[in-house]
């Protein structure tokens, strides 16, 4: 049987899809590209914005047009929150909610074998009840499609319930695997020849909530795994980056000078209203502390939402100035606010017009480009360690520095999967955020994903 995978959404989805893929391969399935008329398609979906959900619906329909006889199974956040809607799409035979993840491979194999389980259309439970049900499961996962880098899921879910966000309802409460499980998975990854691991989670720094362990202890144990030469931390809340973590990483470890930190707004008025657990001053001092201890070339990728309810022109200017004049990140990942059904913010009367959200997002993206170029210019002429990838494009191979600048050089097969000192100024250098850290449906993942059409 041939199976194809389509992944839309964040790096957690990517890690989970890759884990499903290994399960299907062990059951005798042949993995093919989505356009190759597979017998089964697994679509792993995203629900972070209305636009992401639309892309998921379009992707499912496109698969059915490509292979009308194929069986389509759907998983992910959109599948959890919009089961009936997905189940009604032609070609879909099974919708796996969040708590069904450990059964995706087993039940799909049964469907293909003729012992077809009924489609999941509704849980019949309230969001709060479903939240508790989801939270009973923590599926360990890691990606294995690339030869140089793997995403290792160490945490899932969130307890914050920010006013604009559906993630707790889609993924349940904060929970984690144990340190021993994480170390065992890291060793499995190392055994494949992969040299870099990106620690992933909905709120990665909240690791330990369910096991009584600490995030710093996890980092220290992973640092000892032989074969893995570099680690990155993604999606960590500013209030969970402790001084102890900063000091330890700065002391000289395998963890790179690269942080993905959600800000969401540079206005204290907005931060307080939507339930974020820090102030702009706290956020800025955290960034300043990291730069003071790790040097001026740390890569900071910052998430910002444009047009949250109640964001006046004046409050938006506070965000713009905070980013431009005080934080100066290497990259700003901009999300126009999307009104999500079931959230507190969706009910507020002072919604921002779509045209205004679009304009503000465009201004932030222009600022991102400006800061992007400044960061690259500051790094020009420096020597950094680059992990070279095995992909070849137009006779060139690429790789990332420790502080996440992508560089290219002429293809040399002897360098693939190896780390070498490289003068950033001697070749084409640019920052490529979206490939690995975009967190939305239109990023380019280096696996069999449906590209934006």
């Amino acid at each position: 049987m041939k199976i194809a995978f389509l992944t839309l959404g964040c790096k957690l989805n990517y890690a989970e899809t890759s884990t499903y893929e290994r399960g299907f391969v062990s059951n005798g399935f042949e993995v093919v590209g989505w356009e190759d008329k597979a017998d089964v398609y697994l679509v792993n979906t995203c629900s972070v914005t209305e636009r992401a959900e639309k892309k998921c619906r379009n992707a499912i329909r496109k698969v059915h047009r490509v292979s009308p006889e194929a069986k389509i199974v759907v998983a992910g956040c959109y599948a959890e929150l919009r089961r009936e809607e997905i189940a009604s799409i032609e070609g879909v035979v099974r919708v796996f909610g969040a708590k069904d993840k450990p059964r995706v491979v087993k039940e799909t194999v049964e469907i293909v074998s003729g012992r077809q389980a009924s489609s999941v259309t509704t849980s019949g439970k309230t969001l709060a009840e479903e939240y508790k049900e989801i939270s009973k499961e923590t599926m360990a996962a890691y990606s294995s499609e690339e030869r140089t880098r793997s995403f290792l899921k160490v945490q899932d879910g969130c307890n914050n319930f920010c006013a604009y966000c559906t993630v707790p309802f889609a993924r349940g409460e904060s929970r984690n695997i144990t340190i021993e499980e994480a170390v065992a998975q890291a060793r499995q990854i190392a055994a494949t020849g992969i040299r870099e691991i990106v620690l992933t989670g909905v709120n990665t720094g909240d690791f330990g909530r369910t096991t009584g362990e600490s995030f710093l202890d996890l980092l220290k144990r992973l640092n000892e795994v032989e074969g893995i030469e570099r680690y990155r931390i993604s999606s960590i809340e500013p209030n969970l980056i402790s001084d102890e973590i900063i000091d330890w990483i700065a002391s000289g470890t395998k963890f790179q000078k690269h942080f993905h930190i959600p800000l969401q707004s540079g206005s204290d008025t907005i931060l307080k209203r939507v339930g974020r657990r820090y102030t702009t001053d706290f956020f800025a001092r955290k960034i300043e502390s990291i730069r003071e201890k790790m040097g001026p070339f740390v890569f900071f990728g910052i998430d910002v939402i444009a047009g949250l309810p109640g964001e006046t022109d004046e409050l938006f200017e506070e965000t713009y100035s905070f980013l431009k004049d005080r934080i100066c990140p290497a990259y700003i990942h901009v999300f126009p606010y999307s009104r999500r059904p079931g959230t507190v913010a969706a009910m507020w009367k002072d919604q921002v017009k779509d045209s205004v959200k679009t304009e503000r997002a465009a201004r932030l993206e222009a600022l991102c480009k400006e800061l992007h170029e400044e960061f690259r210019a500051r790094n020009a002429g420096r020597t950094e360690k680059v992990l070279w990838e095995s992909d070849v494009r137009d006779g060139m191979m690429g790789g990332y520095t420790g502080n996440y600048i992508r560089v290219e050089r002429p293809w040399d097969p002897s360098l693939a999967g190896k780390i070498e000192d490289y003068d950033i100024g001697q070749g084409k250098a640019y920052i490529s955020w979206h490939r690995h850290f975009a967190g939305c449906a239109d990023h380019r993942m280096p696996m069999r994903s449906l590209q934006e059409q």
Side-chain angles (χ1 to χ4, degrees), residues 44-113:
N44 204 354
T45 60
C46 176
S47 188
V48 69
T49 64
E50 182 180 358
R51 182 169 179 258
E53 290 188 353
K54 182 179 179 180
K55 284 187 177 183
C56 294
R57 290 192 297 274
N58 289 343
I60 295 167
R61 290 176 178 132
K62 187 177 182 71
V63 164
H64 182 64
R65 290 196 300 271
V66 170
S67 295
E69 304 302 320
K71 293 179 171 62
I72 303 172
V73 295
V74 184
C77 292
Y78 181 43
E80 172 61 31
L81 297 177
R82 307 282 183 265
R83 300 186 192 196
E84 290 184 348
E85 182 177 297
I86 296 171
S88 67
I89 299 175
E90 192 171 0
V92 174
V93 298
R94 184 71 162 88
V95 182
F96 290 98
K99 64 177 177 289
D100 305 320
K101 290 176 183 179
R103 301 194 295 275
V104 166
V105 174
K106 177 179 180 295
E107 292 195 10
T108 301
V109 170
E110 290 175 355
I111 290 170
V112 172
S113 302

Side-chain angles (χ1 to χ4, degrees), residues 236-242 261-263 276 278 282-283 286:
I236 182 168
E237 296 285 312
N239 53 306
L240 295 177
I241 310 174
S242 68
I261 308 176
L263 170 64
R276 300 298 287 170
Y278 50 83
F282 178 92
F283 192 98
K286 188 67 66 175

